[in-house]
Amino acid sequence: MNVNEPGTHDAAAAALTGERADLLEALGKQRHFLRFTTRDLTDEQAGLRPTASELCVGGLIKHVTGVERGWAGFMVHGASAMPDFTAMTEDDWARRADEFRMLPGETLEGVLADYEETAGRTDELVATLPDLGISHALPKAPWYEGDERWSVRRVLMHVIAETAQHAGHADIIRESLDGAKSMG
């Protein structure tokens, strides 16, 4: 996939109007900035951690893919599509930490393809769900209060914010690698 061009799912999203189109356009822009940080990187570079952080560009793409996939499942199935974070073991947390790394045998091309596939499924959901106001109780996690519920709309805003935040992280990492920037 050429990281400088929108994904194939963007064409279907372009047929939407109103709020759904606005949400997908905002998400698409942040996805683009995240993917753009990978331009011309090798698999090895995508796994490097050139800052004080444990983060790498490829790992950030993997993490955002996992987050988007989980929240897409939540949009349809509610909290049952996500882990009970209060019951996770040390091994569960260690496996989750692997989301932030390029593991042996993983390629940047494969990570980007998985992200593109996940993005396409999310966009299809946004286009076809009958109501963005449908809400579900959040999964059990120490960072959520009580019996809080999120609508599909709120989930999408969260995914947009998460993608934007990690696109910024990826941009800093990329600049640390070779001086390339997403903007400027």
Side-chain angles (χ1 to χ4, degrees):
M1 180 181 106
N2 181 345
V3 296
N4 297 314
E5 296 176 13
T8 55
H9 54 88
D10 294 336
L16 294 175
T17 60
E19 178 184 27
R20 292 171 195 259
D22 291 346
L23 289 166
L24 288 180
E25 180 182 347
L27 181 54
K29 183 176 285 191
Q30 298 313 316
R31 287 174 180 152
H32 167 76
F33 284 130
L34 180 58
R35 287 188 311 253
F36 191 66
T37 64
T38 69
R39 70 198 178 286
D40 304 322
L41 287 182
T42 65
D43 293 338
E44 180 184 358
Q45 288 172 311
L48 292 176
R49 300 181 325 235
T51 67
S53 170
E54 290 289 318
L55 301 175
C56 66
V57 172
L60 283 168
I61 304 266
K62 284 176 55 179
H63 171 68
V64 171
T65 301
V67 165
E68 187 169 324
R69 186 180 296 128
W71 283 113
F74 175 88
M75 287 183 223
V76 176
H77 303 290
S80 66
M82 300 179 88
D84 175 347
F85 293 99
T86 62
M88 287 178 60
T89 67
E90 204 171 295
D91 286 343
D92 293 330
W93 286 111
R95 277 190 297 280
R96 227 171 136 76
D98 283 344
E99 234 182 43
F100 290 95
R101 306 186 226 326
M102 292 286 289
L103 300 176
E106 290 181 329
T107 65
L108 182 55
E109 180 180 10
V111 167
L112 287 168
D114 192 30
Y115 186 41
E116 182 68 17
E117 181 181 319
T118 297
R121 284 196 303 266
T122 301
D123 289 359
E124 180 67 25
L125 270 177
V126 173
T128 60
L129 282 172
D131 181 1
L132 298 182
I134 295 168
S135 70
H136 302 286
L138 290 173
K140 291 182 182 178
W143 48 86
Y144 298 129
E145 294 185 26
D147 296 326
E148 194 174 353
R149 298 178 69 84
W150 279 11
S151 68
V152 170
R153 181 178 295 104
R154 175 126 183 231
V155 167
L156 287 168
M157 291 186 298
H158 175 73
V159 171
I160 292 165
E162 176 105 359
T163 305
Q165 178 179 19
H166 290 313
H169 293 147
D171 192 44
I172 290 168
I173 293 167
R174 178 59 193 263
E175 187 174 359
S176 297
L177 283 171
D178 62 5
K181 300 179 212 176
S182 294
M183 293 186 191

